[in-house]
Every structure is written in structure tokens, then in C-alpha cells.
Amino acid sequence: MAKITYIEHNGTEHVIDVKNGLTVMEGAIKNNIPGIDADCGGACACATCHVYVQDGWLEKTGDKSAMEESMLDFAENVEPNSRLSCQIKVTDALDGLVVTMPESQH
């Protein structure tokens, strides 16, 4: 299990324990965290679970697949630390992960 901090665009923080094997997106959805819409349910077919991964954590979240890179083209305000939270699998190595949601997912 990993403790993940989700930070809304307005600065509101939510610290949640997320079970290993789930995705960062699933952790947000199961805990009603605002700011992650997840319109496709985690199929990497939209960009409505876009997050910014805090410095120091990007390498631990794994590499972006070609599909994720393609879907990020549909997100607004993409930065080098942008990820789709549906593509980040939770492991013990992500304990302490901090992600910030963009102002809008559309």
C-alpha cells in the first residue's frame, strides 16, 4: 500500500492510502478525489486523468507508453512531468507520491 497525496488545482490536498496493483487514477476515483474525471474508466483512451507528478517521482512512475504519449496530446497544459494517472500502477515504491491535478481536464 502506498500513501499518495493528490493536490487539487486550488491547493487542497488529499492524502490517501492506495492498494498496490491499483492505478493512481483508481485510487482517486475510489476515494472521490475531485479533479480526475477518468471518462474512459482507465482504458488510456482519453486524457481526463491527467496529473503532474512532483519532482523526484517521475522516474519511479515508469516510462510513458506510445499510447499514453498520444493521449497526452489531447490534454491541456501538458508539461514534461505530465502523466495519465490511469497508467501509473501503485507499488510500495510509490509510497509518498505527490500528484497535482491541472485546472481542467477538458
Side-chain angles (χ1 to χ4, degrees):
M1 189 166 293
K3 189 172 295 295
I4 299 176
T5 301
Y6 298 86
I7 304 175
E8 295 179 50
H9 181 72
N10 67 11
T12 303
E13 293 187 12
H14 305 270
V15 181
I16 305 295
D17 288 322
V18 181
K19 290 183 181 179
N20 289 352
L22 294 179
T23 64
V24 171
M25 179 215 73
E26 289 170 319
I29 297 302
K30 289 181 184 293
N31 290 282
N32 299 312
I33 305 299
I36 294 182
D37 296 344
D39 289 345
C40 74
C44 198
C46 71
T48 62
C49 67
H50 175 213
V51 295
Y52 301 110
V53 176
Q54 188 179 60
D55 290 344
W57 287 98
L58 204 53
E59 286 181 14
K60 294 179 182 178
T61 61
D63 293 330
K64 295 177 198 171
S65 68
M67 178 64 91
E68 182 178 359
E69 290 276 6
S70 178
M71 287 297 105
L72 280 168
D73 287 342
F74 295 101
E76 294 181 21
N77 302 313
V78 173
E79 299 291 337
N81 63 333
S82 289
R83 291 294 310 268
L84 296 182
S85 59
C86 70
Q87 298 301 295
I88 305 172
K89 284 280 190 199
V90 175
T91 66
D92 287 338
L94 293 184
D95 187 40
L97 175 67
V98 179
V99 296
T100 304
M101 279 75 82
E103 183 173 6
S104 172
Q105 293 287 3
H106 303 284

